[in-house]
Structures are given as structure tokens and as C-alpha cells.
Amino acid sequence: MDLNLLQRSLFGYGASVDIFTEKGGDVLRQFINSFLLEWNSSSVRIEAKCVLYGVWHHGKQSFKETMLVALLQKVKCLPMYGQNIVEYTELVTWLLGKVPDTSSKPQSTELVDRCLTTDVLPEVPYSRMKLESLKSETKFTDNRIIVKCTGSYTIQTVTMNVHDARKSKSVKVLNLYYNNRPVADLSELKNNWALWKRAKSCHLAFNQTELKVDFPIPITACNFMIELDSFYENLQALSLEPLQCPRCSRPVTDKHGICSNCHENAYQCRQCRNINYENLDSFLCNECGYSKYGRFEFNFMAKPSFTFDSMENDDDMKRGLTAIEAESENAHRRYQQLLGFKNPCLRLYQALINRKIALLGVLYGEKCKAAFDSVSKSVQTLQGLRRVLSKHPNSKKQLVAASILSELFENNIHQGPKTARIQARAVLCAFSEGDANAVSELNSLIQKKVMYCLEHHRSMDIALATREELLLLSEVCSLADEFWESRLRVVFQLLFSSIKLGAKHPAIAEHVILPCLRIISQACTPPKPDTVDKEQGWENQLHFCRKTQDIQLLSYSEWEKGASYLDFVRRQYKVSQAVKSSGQRPRPQRYDYLALKYALRWKRNACKTSKGELSAFELGSWVTELVLSASTLSAGESAAEYFELLFKMIDSEDARLFLTGFILHKLIELLGKFLEVPNIRSRFMRDNLLSEILEALIVIRGLIVQKTKLISDCNRLLKDLLDGLLLESSENKRQFIRACICGLQIHGEERKGRTSLFILEQLCNLICPSKPESVYLLVLNKAHTQEEFIRGSMTKNPYSSAEIGPLMRDVKNKICHQLDLLGLLEDDYGMELLVAGNIISLDLSIAQVYEQVWKKSNSQSSNTISGATLLSSNATTSARDCPPMTVTYRLQGLDGEATEPMIKELEEDREESQDPEVEFAIAGAVQEYGGLEIILGMIQRLRDDLKSNQEQLVAVLNLLMHCCKIRENRRALLRLGALGVLLETARCAFSVDAMEPAEGILLIVESLTLEANESDNISITQNALTVSSEVAGAGDQAKKIVLMFLERLCHSSGLKKSNKQQRNTEMVARILPYLTYGEPAAMEALIHHFEPYLQDWGEFDRLQKQQQDNPKDEDIARQAAKQKFALENFVRVSESLKTSSCGERLKDIILEKGITGVAVRHLTDSFAVAGQAGFKSSAEWASGLKLPSVPLILSMLRGLSMGHLATQRCIDEGGILSLLHALEGVTGENEIGARAENLLDTLSDKEGKGDGFLEEKVCKLRHATRDEMRRRALRRREELLQGLGMRQELASDGGERIVVTRPLLEGLEDVEEEEDGLACMVCREGYSLRPTDMLGVYSYSKRVNLGVTSGSARAEYVYTTVSFFNIIHFQCHQEAKRADAALKNPKKEWEGAALRNNESYCNSLFPVRGPSVPITQYIRYVDQYWDNLNALGRADGPRLRLLTYDIVLMLARFATGASFSLESRGGGRESNSRFLLFMIQMARHLFDQGNITQRAMAKTITTYLTSSSSDSKPSTPGMQPSIGTEETFQFMMVNSLLSESYDSWLQHRRAFLQRGIYHAYMQHTHGRSTSRASSNPTAVIRSESGSSSGSGSTTTEAGSGDDLLAIVRPMLVYTGLIEQLQRFFR
């Protein structure tokens, strides 16, 4: 800039000089620091340079000297500002009288080049960028271009150029929109106008091809949208441009746009062939952005930006913290890269060889510059995020809670340049102003630090150690807020302590006592009067003081003990009313008198100090031993040299600041190395130092704004160290629980503190470790047949399940969002997802489909499948080896009817349930170390402000829920009065509609009330009923609790509730009976609340009918909803009544009140026509079914009658059993049939729990109805057959068959039917008519636990199979399956099969081989059968072994009389005896296909019997079993059936029989008798080692011979069955 021009522009700077001279030049220094050096914009720095030159020109000589000194003081700090010092050097040159010219510019930049550091980052200039270089993702509509930028950019200018423009249509209005909100997917911004800001709206001339948009204030954007709002249309030009085919360029005249030449659609995009059916004449292609009216080119003048939008909620804050962590990681990585470049640069520079100079330039000029720019961007991003974070409304409190005060106090006020320390003190003052928690914490930090220095003043430099703390104390005492008294108390305490400890010590007197006196003097001295009025007031005040000098108005002892300044003001006011003021002048000697007075007081206090010397420092024994040990002298010398060198390195303050993170990191690593030594680790745990590790971890996690990569690494190292210690032993876990409880005790009082949340999470993860969710990768591909129907594609493959969601429905929604198929979001039938050739139900989870469908398909395709060696579904590869799951999406129906199989259900991966007392045993340590009391105290404190403390309260309740899993903790909580605390907290939660905490509280209350009702300890019940501080009996307390929860049920908001509110209401109704604790008053209150609604069910029906007839009448609707809500709640109460003493008494009271009788009579009156002929078709019956009271009454009667004889007798005497039986056959939406059936099942004790006493009467009614229906069906069938010329007769095999008596249809006599043998139930043809078509038998298989066998430490699973012996062709089954799937209400495969299987369950088709069936076909269907079994669950072992055990279990059912139809609802002894033969057929096939020979099998059986006969007792667990002894003797008998001849069987039969009898007797003596009929067939095949490894004492001895026969009968029958089968097959 020309100096003369600059001087002419300096007019008006005179007033600015006065501003800069205020506050002793502080404003000037701040201006230089902020705007001339630190500001990262060159334009701002240039303006600041001009301002300073102007004030220099108009300032006086003293001001010029001050300004020059301030500028020259910054010389030593210039390297900190890097390239920003250019304007500074120019200004100093001007002030010294030297105007730089352009010729000397290279020399003047030498200083700048030497000051290039990373402390101040380089400013990035604006540059011209094309749209393609800015974008990372782009989406288009028919008139918009939406761009997601690669980062945040500051945009100054936007330029648009249109090439090859047509005159028929051009842009008229162009709108520019932007936002600065980072998004993961542009779909979030599309059509969401609330997130966009309009930057500019431009009007263009017709056919304008160039446009430049300047933003006076540059905009900052992460996303940019260009909208072509309206257009010019030249109708004449449009008429002259015919529709042209984009492929063959011929004109198209077809109204649908189909070219007559190439049959292509003329409306398709020339570039991507997309067709926009919604707007065929769109200006832009909504897929690729191509426009046939011109090629648009957009350019931007932009530069990377590091400013961010303000954080509006906690989610924005979390994203900001995540970005800070990511950028810290990137900055650290680039910094390490720069360090790696350092040595090669130095070596190349030292070599100075010509051929290496170019390499040096590349390395320094490109790679180093790129790394430096990346670090600069990351640091600027961090600075921007931190600035925004500090402005967040809740950030101040959260930062205070995250220990930001201690971080600043311990580090920033001592380190860095003076300006940084001043700023740190200012920040501490700002944080503590008006915040009680911050004031308390900062006062404590200052007091502790100064007192520590005073106590150790002989061993440290007291001036250096306390200077910054006392400066900080002086500044915070100058704050004018309500906490000034607490700060002043700290000053007085420090003053008197310093006088007591070191009054004669010059350093203490100068650097501690004197600053404290200055602070007190400033606080006690009134302000100087400015005007005459103020002087007059001051004179009056002094006169008043003289008159009241004999009255003590102020007392330091009172103030120190807690009296406030307001108390003294009130006292002074009272005295002033009695004393009249006078107008005497003040004494001029008063100030001298006050100074002398305080000096004498200080002298008296100083003389009272003790003259004793400090006691000598006494070394501990471990220090003495270490120093005086001869073996450590050399190591000690080396260590001394090392630490001496280290201290020299960190002698400077900057070095200490720089090395802080590294030293902390290395210290943690050093601690980890020490803890690898067992002795040190055991001593570490013995001294309970885990709490110190936890505290250190909490402190490091508290660093939020100043978090760096090193801090993150320290956090990770400490967490890994802690986890390693916890995995070592359960005792370490208990010690950690103890440390966490201590941490809760320390940090639990913190408001808005994240520390207690972290500790609670650690405790929950330790007690109940959460299984980490697996992340799966998905490749989403469009079906190739629908390329023309689905626009766009999923371009970011593979997608992670973590970003999609847990369900396949989330996958579908992700596709719909990405491809703008918004109409299919709520439609579950519009889009199909296919995985491995199967249509997948949207209700399945991604994890299930990946593990059970994709991995199975992938493993099968990667292995060669041949013959019988087909891999089972369990032989899958690991997730790491398996590729991403390919999901194909398509629109349903476009490709015709789907032919792929549909997977609607998959087995959930459920872990074996474990006893909670064992699983959560570690939770007992919480009670042992007093954690339950602390948890209850936290709940009491947090409930005062539930809205703001909800997150922390949920975490506390989660921990308490885990603790309640074991009885010891539940009883301890009852003794502590936890129920009272929780019930009061629940009341508070209900009052503010905090549903999530309320749900957790109710779950805990439910477990505690169940424990209290089951306990016989009266004191527990009494202590549990402490809800308030009033003295009342247990009955009154229980009544208050019941009334409180009843009030919740009657809450006005209960009529329209959210899902969480509805769950809470249901939970309240469920636990209400237990909250009575058997107290009559509470029970009466509970029943009295519902009784008005239960005495007149007819009124309820009439009210509901009126509401239906008058839906707009709000009064009737409110009454109807209230009554319905009350009755539904009583139904829930009745259903929750257990068969306990409390429940029995409640049911008795309900019965005595006549509630049950009224309900029974209402049912009788509503269905008065029941029992009459044809009553089910009458209008009265139909109207009764529509009554809304009937379903409620049926559910209520079921709950009340469960296990209660008197209620069931009332129902029986009411004569409604036949009515209930008639109602259970009703179908409809009101569930009357299902509820009536459930009530009858309860009355008949169907589940065998002893709840019903009317089994005989109910069964009689049901059997009679069933027989009558069977007779009617047979009669109807005979009539139909007779009408068709057929009749039914007995077949030769004892079954029934239908024959034609007279053919009524032409050609019917030519139809053949299978006469003998097996026949398909669909086509009635078998192996005679279709010899090569495979038949199968519908069967039902189940996975069962065989038990623990000898030689194996874990349970073993096998399959058990039963059948109704219904035969069908495999081909007929497939055709029927397709027909079921094509129904209007499609059926699953085995649902339809169950109908064909006489309503019996089936889940597989067992192949039956005919004489002419090819072996390859039989092998294929055998493999298919075993694939079905594998889908039921894993069972290890060869197929032959599993099938042998299946045969063993089948024979066991015959031997024990166990039910064949308990699981399958069909099939008996006859059908399964026929099915058994074909099981043996498959077993023989597998035996022949296997590797074992018949001779080897026979040898195994002989070895088994030999070892068994040589030792009459079973082998003990410690003995190694010989070959074959790991199988049961029943298994060996079936093996003999498959492999031995009949003669060999006769030789071994006696040994098998002896073994079986001995095994049955041993099972009986050890308490596992198998003589009774059991539904579990595995009872007779327990292993011999299992029968002998139990208790040595026998439960009972066999008595008479009849008893002994009953014991061994199953084994005799079993051996007899093997004998019969041997004869049959031989």
C-alpha cells in the first residue's frame, strides 16, 4: 500500500487512541495478539495493521513508546505465529521509518520463513474449483442438483456456464441452497427443506448461458443444492423439434414414445437410458443429471473451511466429539509421518549431491507439504469444533462435571507463555462464576495446593509454587456473584494458616501473607466517593459508626461458622432504627487508625505461632532397603543418571508442556510392565490399588475438549490394563466392584457428572457382560430382470449392518430411501429380498439370515458335494472367511409369480438358560461392600429432578435390576427398605411421565414384592412397607401403596397411552396383588376400587353400545373408555393372582363380594338360548357374541378360578360349563373362542399344575361333542359317496378304502388305484403303478438332550422321530406345497402338510425306498431328510449313530409306554410300529454306505459285552472306558440288530439281558426310575457311568418280587422287541 495514501486515510483516529490507552494498555496488547497475529485471515490482519498505524500517527509520544514496547515484546514469540507475522513485520518496519519496496520483498520474507511452525496454521487462499472436484456424492431430480461436498468449504463465488444450449427451453430462475450439516447419506437431505438455507435466487435472461453469483459474505457449506426453478419455453422452437429416438436418431410419432424402427423408448435418457415416468419431459435426468437442453458447468471460488454450525442438541454434541476424536487420530498420524520424513530430509540435505537435490525437493516440497497441510486442516477442524462445543448451552456444566477445572488448574495456569496463563485464569473465573459446584471445586483446589506448599515450604521455592494460585485467588475474589463469601473464607483460612506456619519466614510473608492481606483489604475497603452527595453519605455513615462502636455488628467467628453477610445486614438495619444519624465530619486520621489496627492484629497473631522446628524426614523401611542394598547400587547410579538427563530435558516450561502426554503414556506402559510380574501384581491387588487405576481412568476420560491421540491411547491402555486384571480371577472382579462402589461414593454427588455413569456402566458390564453385536457386510444388488423398472442402484456396496439396522425390513427401507421408492416404506409386500435363491421374510434379523442361510449356502458351494457326504448346515465357515452377504432386491410381481422358496422362520440362537443364582453370583459383592445402600441413596437424590437425571437414573436402575437377580441381594434390599424408596421414586416418575425409569422401577418392585410375599421373615415385610416418615401400621402402609398405584391406573392420561405407558400400566396391574402383602385393609382397598364397575356388566354393554352409536359424543366416549380401562385393569389383576396365600385370600374376598357370581349370571342371561335346538343360528346367540363384556368376563373367570376350588365350584353351580363348551368353538376377532377354551383348560387342569378340579366334567362334555361331530361327519360322508356312486369298505390290511359301486362319470371305470402295499394319500398310487417315484412318510422330529455320557464332559443332543404313517409321493408333496403358497392366505410348507397328516404336526418327509427306486434318487432324498433335521438344531455325530439313537428312543417309547403323540398331536403304537421298519431300512442303508464293516461292528459288540461281563459294576468316572463303552447297552442292542446274525444274537442275548436288568436296578436305586410311563424316552437310555457317578447312598431298596418286576419290566420289554425284530429280519 502507498504510504501517502495510507496517511490520507488516517482521518478520525484521534478518538481511537483513547480506547487503546484504557486499562494500562491491555486493550492494545489484546488487539495486537488477537487481530494482528492470531487471526487466520490475511484481510483482517491487514486491516489491523492499518488501524495500528493510524493510532500511532495520532498518538502522543508516551502512547508511541507504549505501543512500540508492546510490539517489540512479541519478537521472542514470533515463531509461534508462523506465516501470520508478515503484517507484523511490515508494521514494525513502517514505525521504524523504513517503507519496504517490492525489490526488497525476498529479503523481508526471510524472517517469515524462519518462523514457520505448526502452532499457527497457514491460511488457505480461495481457488477455482469445478463441481466435480468438490463433490463426494451427487443426487438429481428433474430440476435439482444436490451435491455432498468432500468436506466443509467457504464459497465466495459460483459461476454457471451452459454449453450447446438449445433455444427451445432455457432456465429462467436459478436458486442456490446450502447447509453446513455433515450427513452420512444425501437421502437425508432430499425433500427435507427444513435443513436447507437459501443463499441466492437469480433471474436469468432468455437463453442466457453465463451466470456469476458473488456472495458479499462468503457462505460455509458441506452440502450444496442448485435448483432450476422455472424455465423459458419457446413454443415455436419446441414445435420444430420433433421427438427423436436417442438410439437411431429417427423422429418418433408414437404417442407412447416407442420408436417404430428400433423399438426403443424415445423418452429415455441419452446418457444412462433412465426413463422418468413421472415427468417424461423433465429438464434434467433424475438419475445422472443429463439435460438435452444443454450441458451445464459449475465452478466455485472456494477454500476449505473449519467453521461448523452450532450444536443444537446432545446428538450434535456426540457427533462433534466423534469428529474431534477422528481428527485427533488423523493429526497424530500425519505428525508421525512428518517425524518420519525428518531424518531422510536431514540426510539428503547433508549429502548435497546433485542427483539427490531433486529428491530432497520432492520429499520436502510435496510429501512434507501434504502432511503439513493435513495436520493444519485437522487442527483447524479441532479448533472450530471446540469453539462450537464451548458455546453449547450445557457444555459449561458438563465441562465442569468432566473435571475441566482440575485440568486447567493443574496444567494451564503454570505452563505456556504469560498470555496463555492469563487466559487460563480468565477461563477458570468464567467457569466458577455463578456455579456452586465449580466454586466449591476451585476453592478446594487452591486451598489444598497452597496448604501443601506451606507445609513443605522448606523443601520448595514457595514463591514459584504459589504465585499462580494466589493470582487466581485474587481474580476469582474480584467476581461479583453470590458466592463471594465462600471465596473470602478461603482467603482468611489461608491467611491464618500461613501466619501460624511461617510468620517468620520471609518468603511466606511476602508471597502468601501479603497477597491474602491485599485481597482482604480490597474486599473490606468501601469504594471511594465520586460526588459531593456520596461524600455526604460517607460522613453520615462514619457518624453512625462512632455512635454504634460499642455495639458488635460484625463477628468473624460467627461468619466463619456459617453466618452470612445478610445476617449482619439485617442486624445493622435493626440497630439503625434506634440510632439517629448526625452530620459530623469524618476524622482525617481514620484511615491511619484502620491501618494501625489491622497491623497490630496481624502482629498479635504472628507472635502466637509456635517456635518448634519441623521434625526430620524419616525414610520408610522400603526406601532404606532399596538405597542401602549393594545389589542395586549400580542400577541406582544408572537410574540417577537417567533421571538427571530427563530433568535437564524438561527444565524449560515449554518442554514440560510438550512432553506431558508422552510421559503419561510411558508411565502407564511402565505400570503395565510392572504388573506383568506375578508378585507385583498380587501385591498391587492386596493393597487395593484398583481404585487408583479406576480414578486415573476417570480423570483421563474427563478430558473432552483437550482430548488428543495420546490421551485416547492413555485411556485405551488403562482400560486394557483394567480388563486384563479382571479376567485373571473372580477375586479381582470383587476388588474392582469394591473400587467402583468407592468411586460411586466419591463421585455420586456430582451433578450432571458423567463419572458416575461410567462407573455404573462398568459395574453392569462386569455383573452381566453384554455380548457385542456382530457386524455383517451386505452387498445390495438389483435383480437383472428389473433394470428398466427400478431407477438407480446401491452404489456404496458393501453396506454394514451397523448403519442399516437389525432386521431385513431395515434393509428394504434402506434401499427405498436410497432409490427414492418412498411409497414402499410402509409396504411390506411391494419389494422382495432374495438371499442364496430364497425369498427372505422381512421379520427375520440380518444375523439370522447371514448365519443360517448365507453361510450355509456359501459353505455348500465351496465344497464338493457327492453322494452321502453332503455337509450339514452346521459345517459353516467363520464370519471372517465368509464373503459379504449378497441381497438381491426386486419389485414383487413384475417377473411373474415367484418360484423361489420363502424362508419365514429361522431358529433363534438361544443360549442354554442358567440359574440366575449362579449366573449373577458376582452381584453379591455389591451387597458385601455396601453398594446397595449407595445405590438407594443415589436413587433418592436423583428422583428430585427426574427429567434432567433420567439417563443416570436409568443406569442406576439397570444395575439394581442385575443385583436383584440373586436372593441374597433381594432380601438385603428389603431389609434396607428399598421398596419404600422405589415406590416413592415410581410415584415421582409417574408424575412427570418418565416412562423408561418407571418401567425399570416396576420390574424391580415386582421381583422384590414376590420375594417379600414368599418370605416368612416378618421383619422384611415390615421394613419393606416404609413409604413415608409417618408412624403407621403395616396395613395402613400397604393400603397407601395400593391407593398410590390405583391412582396411577386412574390417571387421565391413561386412556390414550404410548407403548411404554401401556406396558407400565400393565405392569402396575400385575404387581398390585403383591403390594397388599396379605393385609386385609389393602385388599379391601384394591377390590373396593374396582367393585363399582364389576357389579353391573349390563351397564357396561349399554355404555359401549351408546359409544358405538354416537361416536362424536365426547362425554359418552370418555365414560365408556374409563369403564373399559378399569375392567381391563381388573382382568390383568385377576390374571396375575398366583396360587399363594395372598392370592387365595384375595380370591376369597372377591367371591364373598359376589363379583364372580354376578359375572356368571351375566353370561347365563346373555346366552339364555344356549342348549336349545339350533341355538347357534339364532339372533340372540349372535347378539350375545357381540357383547364387549363377554371376552373380559371369560379372562377374568380364568384368572380367578386358577387353583381356587371355591371359584370353580361357583362356576360349576352356575351351570355355564356347557355354555363355555359351546363358546370355545366360536371364531372371531374378539377371541371369545380362545378365551373360553383357555378357561375350560384351566378348569380341567390341562397343564397338570393342579389348578383345575373339574377335569371329569369338562372332558365328558368335550368327548360327547367330539363323538357327535364324528357321527355327523360319517353320515355326511356316506351321503356324499352314495351320491357319487361310491361306498366305503374295509381293505385287506385292516384299513378303510373307497370303492366305486356304480360309475357315474364316463371313463371312471378305467381309473386304476393301488390295490395292495403302500399308496400315496393324494394320488392313491404306489410302487405298483409308479415304481420309480419315491414315496415318503410324514414324520415329526425333535432335538433332545441325551445326557452326559462317559468320555464326554458335555451334554449330547440327538433326534427323536414319530409318525402318523401317512404316505405321499415327494412330487405330490411339492405340488401341494406350491398350491398352499398360492392361496389367498398362503400357508407354510408344514402347515399345509399338517392338514394332510390328519392334523398332526410334521416337519420332515422320511424317504421309503421301493424295489425299483434308483439308489441315487434314494440318496438324494436321504440327504434332504437330514438337511431338514439339521435345521432343528445341532447334533454332532455320524448319521448312522444319530439314526441308531432315534431307533433306540422309538423302542424306548414302546418299552416304557410313553406317549407317541404328546409333541406331534397324532400317531400311536400301530402307526409308529409300521414306521419303525423303514427307519431300520435307512439305518441299514447308511450302514452299507459307511466305512465300518460288519465284522468290525460285531467285534465292537463282543468287546463291549466282554468288558461288561468282566466287571459287574459300571466304570467309575476316573477310569478310562474301553472301546464301545461310551455308548449305552440299548444302543449296542440296536447295533447287533443291524450287524449280527440271529445265531450271534442268541449267543449274546443273555449277556444283554443281564446288563439291562442291572442297569435298570441301578437307575432305580439312584433315584431315576424308568418304570413309570414318561413323556421323556431318554429316561431309559442313561449311560452306565451316569448311573453310578451320583450319590453313593441309595434312595430305596427293592422290596417284594412285584416291585422288582416293575423296576426291570421296561428292560425286559426292550429286549423282547429286539428279539422280535431279529426274527422278523432273519
Side-chain angles (χ1 to χ4, degrees), residues 513-534:
I513 297 176
L514 186 58
C516 290
L517 285 174
R518 286 174 180 160
I519 296 172
I520 294 172
S521 176
Q522 291 175 2
C524 297
T525 303
K528 299 176 78 173
D530 295 27
T531 64
V532 177
D533 296 335
K534 291 184 179 179

Side-chain angles (χ1 to χ4, degrees), residues 1291-1293 1297 1313-1319 1325-1329:
S1292 58
D1293 58 355
R1297 67 175 184 175
E1313 188 174 333
E1314 195 81 16
E1315 293 292 336
D1316 298 319
L1318 306 176
E1325 296 176 350
Y1327 282 128
S1328 299
L1329 299 175

Side-chain angles (χ1 to χ4, degrees), residues 1509-1543:
S1509 60
S1510 62
D1511 186 3
S1512 60
K1513 295 183 179 181
S1515 62
T1516 62
M1519 297 176 60
Q1520 182 70 21
S1522 35
I1523 300 175
T1525 58
E1526 68 274 7
E1527 309 294 359
T1528 62
F1529 76 94
Q1530 297 99 323
F1531 180 88
M1532 286 300 176
M1533 276 199 282
V1534 176
N1535 274 346
S1536 70
L1537 175 65
L1538 298 175
S1539 60
E1540 287 191 325
S1541 63
Y1542 185 66
D1543 295 335

Side-chain angles (χ1 to χ4, degrees), residues 1325-1352:
E1325 296 176 350
Y1327 282 128
S1328 299
L1329 299 175
R1330 297 167 63 180
T1332 59
D1333 290 345
M1334 178 68 71
L1335 289 172
V1337 179
Y1338 281 132
S1339 60
Y1340 180 80
S1341 299
K1342 181 181 178 182
R1343 178 173 172 258
V1344 295
N1345 188 351
L1346 188 61
V1348 179
T1349 60
S1350 62
S1352 177

